[in-house]
Amino acid sequence: MLEYALNHRQAVDSVTQDRALGLRKYELDDDEWNLLEQLHDILKDATLYFSRATPNLATVIPTMDLIDEKLTTYSLNPKYSPAICATVGLAKRTLNWYYQLTDSTEVYRIAMVLHLQHKLTYFKKANWEEGWIDTAKMIVQDAFKCSYTAEETGDHDGLDEEVPKAKPVHNGLCYLRQLKLVTQISLG
């Protein structure tokens, strides 16, 4: 939309300047057109990036890293107006808030570690803390153990069926799987 408006600036100016149409309040001055050009410059990369690929869980973190890097560059670039730099700074702050939310669920880490292109190498190349990388590895291992291995015990609450023994809960995903299994056995 910005690109269209910028490419048709003369026509937009003509329409908004015509008093008879009642659109004068939408008329842009040269400074506002300049801001639009700067916004277009910043947003075109994101638009192109998201229009060429289908996002999936394994691409969320690398995409957020790329956007964060770009926003940092834009916010510090003196060619952009102070209003644009401040706005980009707010966008970066919002992105970082959402980025932190990826730590509250394990699916992003699991998707990244299991992705053929990323694995743990992505985090190492991006200089992530070793503790975070170790935690990601442990989460994947725990999820695997929880999903594909089962320890058996004897009778459970009078049921004749064998129930997988509860494992120490290292992550919420494993806990939810155990809860689902116990609920199915209890109801079933």
Side-chain angles (χ1 to χ4, degrees):
M1 184 68 158
L2 281 178
E3 187 169 358
Y4 184 85
L6 290 169
N7 288 337
H8 297 89
R9 178 179 176 173
Q10 210 169 18
V12 171
D13 279 341
S14 295
V15 169
T16 56
Q17 289 172 357
D18 188 345
R19 288 183 203 264
L21 295 175
L23 299 174
R24 295 289 307 240
K25 64 182 176 185
Y26 301 111
E27 185 178 7
L28 300 176
D29 62 27
D30 288 339
D31 288 336
E32 291 169 321
W33 280 109
N34 186 33
L35 287 175
L36 281 180
E37 288 172 3
Q38 291 179 24
L39 272 177
H40 175 263
D41 186 37
I42 291 170
L43 296 176
K44 73 176 178 187
D45 291 334
T47 303
L48 288 173
Y49 181 82
F50 287 110
S51 65
R52 69 181 166 158
T54 304
N56 60 53
L57 280 178
T59 62
V60 169
I61 291 175
T63 300
M64 289 179 124
D65 284 342
L66 178 65
I67 292 170
D68 185 63
E69 180 184 314
K70 294 285 189 182
L71 291 177
T72 300
T73 302
Y74 293 138
S75 69
L76 300 173
N77 192 332
K79 88 174 191 177
Y80 298 115
S81 77
I84 294 292
C85 291
T87 303
V88 168
L90 290 172
K92 183 175 167 45
R93 202 164 118 197
T94 302
L95 175 72
N96 287 333
W97 184 78
Y98 282 107
Y99 197 94
Q100 289 176 341
L101 291 177
T102 64
D103 280 343
S104 66
T105 181
E106 296 161 348
V107 294
Y108 293 103
R109 296 183 208 198
I110 292 170
M112 289 285 294
V113 172
L114 294 180
H115 191 276
L116 295 174
Q117 181 182 352
H118 301 306
K119 305 247 178 239
L120 291 172
T121 306
Y122 176 84
F123 303 116
K124 291 174 184 172
K125 286 182 179 178
N127 296 318
W128 287 45
E129 294 177 18
E130 200 62 39
W132 197 98
I133 296 170
D134 292 342
T135 301
K137 184 177 179 180
M138 184 193 74
I139 287 170
V140 172
Q141 290 171 340
D142 284 352
F144 178 83
K145 287 175 191 172
C146 187
S147 296
Y148 298 106
T149 61
E151 297 176 34
E152 297 177 356
T153 63
D155 192 350
H156 179 70
D157 291 339
L159 296 174
D160 293 290
E161 303 172 39
E162 291 183 342
V163 179
K165 183 177 169 184
K167 298 179 184 191
V169 177
H170 294 291
N171 63 60
L173 193 60
C174 189
Y175 174 75
L176 290 175
R177 286 190 187 111
Q178 290 173 356
L179 185 62
K180 179 181 176 187
L181 180 62
V182 170
T183 304
Q184 286 172 344
I185 291 169
S186 298
L187 297 176

